[in-house]
Amino acid sequence: MGKVGLLFRRAALLCCFWWLSAASALRFSKKGEFKILQVADMHYADGKTTACLDVLPEQVAGCSDLNTTAFIQRMIRAEKPDLIVFTGDNIYGFDTTEPRKSMDAAFAPAIAAGIPWAAVLGNHDQESTLTRGGVMKHIVTMKHTLSLLNPPEEHHIDGFGNYNLEVLGAGGSKLQSKSVLNLYFLDSGDYSTVPLIPGYGWIKPSQQVWFQSASSKLQKNYTSAPEAQSEPAPGLVYFHIPLPEYAQFDSSNFTGVKQEGISSPTINSGFFTTMVGAGDVKAVFTGHDHLNDFCGKLSEINLCYAGGFGYHAYGKAGWSRRTRVVLASLEKDKHNATWGGVKSIRTWKRLDDMHLSKIDKQMLWEKVPSGRRRKRITTSKV
């Protein structure tokens, strides 16, 4: 290839990479909204040959992984999310013949709809013929995904799939080039590898150091010129296995239901304290315990389950599979002329029933107007 041809090829590649970067950028809509659909515990296996678990007798015939696919498709049509987040146990390794094909089928509705999506791993994704790293390496090659193995600059970080995504302000606004909502994704592991510590895995110190660094950089960017803001942009955190702090709620201080124990690690690695110290996290979203779908607030951070989504995942006959939706809304600037930063973050759940019933609408966070003192909040029994 001649010099001119080589230069042309390089220019074409740069153009292509720029287009891909621009196309994958997350941004608030012209209506000042950004909507996230959380899909927890699909447990996808081999499609139509994989039977459903824990459904009513009249639902057994013909029920399979395809019911999980149909539920995602219904949710995409109903909610039209800006981002879909899959929070682990996306496939069920023990019953999966070919994990790559299972992942292709599991994520197919998001890909077909052309919606950006991100995924983290659970404790069952790697239990087929692919290693945990191999599973994530396949995910990051798929269409429309924003998932990353790990930040490229991080060479010594535990797990596969620790990364953050920035959601830019509305186009045409003063904050169109700033991340007004920060999304953090972490690999919460599968099982303990320490002989004297039984049970599930946990978020390791190296991951927490990365999270602190990412949060600090994002906060500095948001509160620095140009268009310096007075306080950090809100952050949302997604991973699979719930923290031990999820056990500090009862029916008096959460919204939703708790129908099984909290299957957290047997040790507390301190990640909740790390998030509180960071100062920007408003809510955490996990899966893992399919029969819990509650959301409660502890030390100004909401700890939320999504509830089980997949039909090949354990559930409860007569208790609908479900999913969680999060809606972030912007405020108008002081002149009421253009969109500013995030004003509020709301959530609700949808059931896979005849009407896709919307339940448990809840305000997770709302910005306190300037000049108004924040009301002191006390939480009992926590």
Side-chain angles (χ1 to χ4, degrees):
M1 180 181 293
K3 185 176 182 180
V4 174
L6 183 60
L7 290 173
F8 178 81
R9 184 181 178 186
R10 287 177 177 173
L13 286 172
L14 287 172
C15 178
C16 179
F17 290 143
W18 173 88
W19 180 85
L20 286 172
S21 177
S24 63
L26 299 176
R27 181 181 297 282
F28 274 77
S29 70
K30 293 180 180 179
K31 294 170 56 180
E33 295 181 341
F34 189 84
K35 185 182 290 185
I36 303 171
L37 171 65
Q38 181 189 358
V39 176
D41 300 271
M42 287 190 291
H43 279 231
Y44 207 96
D46 288 342
K48 65 181 180 181
T49 63
T50 300
C52 296
L53 301 178
D54 298 326
V55 294
L56 295 170
E58 60 268 26
Q59 295 176 302
V60 172
C63 189
S64 71
D65 279 336
L66 300 188
N67 289 65
T68 302
T69 297
F71 186 18
I72 300 178
Q73 292 169 334
R74 294 181 73 200
M75 284 302 305
I76 289 173
R77 290 193 296 268
E79 292 287 1
K80 298 177 177 60
D82 299 292
L83 176 70
I84 302 175
V85 177
F86 298 91
T87 51
D89 284 0
N90 308 300
I91 62 173
Y92 187 65
F94 281 128
D95 294 339
T96 300
T97 305
E98 174 44 66
R100 292 181 182 86
K101 290 182 179 179
S102 294
M103 283 187 277
D104 291 346
F107 300 123
I111 293 171
I115 297 174
W117 59 278
V120 294
L121 300 181
N123 54 294
H124 291 305
D125 290 286
Q126 78 292 338
E127 293 172 337
S128 182
T129 58
L130 284 179
T131 64
R132 194 169 182 82
V135 171
M136 201 65 194
K137 286 178 182 177
H138 181 73
I139 288 175
V140 300
T141 66
M142 299 177 76
K143 291 182 179 180
H144 305 303
T145 189
L146 302 179
S147 309
L148 296 172
L149 275 170
N150 275 328
E153 69 277 8
E154 296 287 344
H155 303 293
H156 303 287
I157 182 170
D158 288 282
F160 304 92
N162 303 281
Y163 56 101
N164 67 278
L165 297 174
E166 301 178 14
V167 186
L168 304 179
S173 72
K174 293 181 179 180
L175 299 181
Q176 66 176 354
S177 298
K178 279 186 178 283
S179 178
V180 300
L181 178 67
N182 298 313
L183 309 177
Y184 304 96
F185 304 86
L186 294 102
D187 180 0
S188 55
D190 49 8
Y191 303 96
S192 172
T193 57
V194 181
L196 296 179
I197 302 176
Y200 292 108
W202 56 87
I203 295 172
K204 306 297 195 301
S206 64
Q207 296 168 278
Q208 298 188 45
V209 169
W210 163 77
F211 166 79
Q212 288 174 314
S213 176
S215 172
S216 178
K217 289 177 182 177
L218 289 166
Q219 291 187 46
K220 183 178 180 181
N221 290 342
Y222 195 62
T223 56
S224 299
E227 300 298 333
Q229 302 299 298
S230 60
E231 57 186 68
L236 306 178
V237 183
Y238 290 88
F239 50 89
H240 182 70
I241 298 174
L243 301 171
E245 282 79 6
Y246 273 70
Q248 297 191 45
F249 297 105
D250 58 36
S251 58
S252 70
N253 53 21
F254 66 65
T255 300
V257 298
K258 179 182 179 183
Q259 301 179 116
E260 61 177 309
I262 309 301
S263 299
S264 60
T266 56
I267 66 163
N268 192 326
S269 69
F271 186 52
F272 181 79
T273 302
T274 296
M275 290 188 291
V276 172
D280 62 335
V281 176
K282 307 307 177 187
V284 175
F285 303 95
T286 66
H288 194 54
D289 298 326
H290 309 175
L291 300 182
N292 295 336
D293 72 355
F294 67 81
C295 193
K297 184 179 287 187
L298 177 65
S299 299
E300 297 303 310
I301 294 180
N302 293 277
L303 301 178
C304 302
Y305 280 109
F309 190 99
Y311 278 86
H312 187 54
Y314 77 82
K316 182 178 180 181
W319 193 67
S320 299
R321 264 61 175 186
R322 57 201 59 211
T323 185
R324 182 173 291 280
V325 179
V326 170
L327 178 66
S329 301
L330 300 178
E331 63 180 351
K332 287 288 188 178
D333 67 9
K334 60 183 178 181
H335 303 295
N336 204 36
T338 185
W339 293 116
V342 176
K343 179 182 180 181
S344 65
I345 301 174
R346 296 177 170 85
T347 188
W348 58 87
K349 298 186 291 283
R350 288 269 203 171
L351 310 184
D352 192 19
D353 58 15
M354 185 179 297
H355 305 289
L356 277 181
S357 300
K358 183 186 290 188
I359 65 169
D360 294 340
K361 298 178 184 178
Q362 188 176 357
M363 177 70 76
L364 295 179
W365 176 80
E366 189 170 19
K367 184 177 181 180
V368 177
S370 58
R372 177 176 150 194
R373 295 182 64 184
R374 184 183 294 274
K375 182 178 179 182
R376 185 180 181 87
I377 298 175
T378 57
T379 305
S380 61
K381 301 184 179 180
V382 175

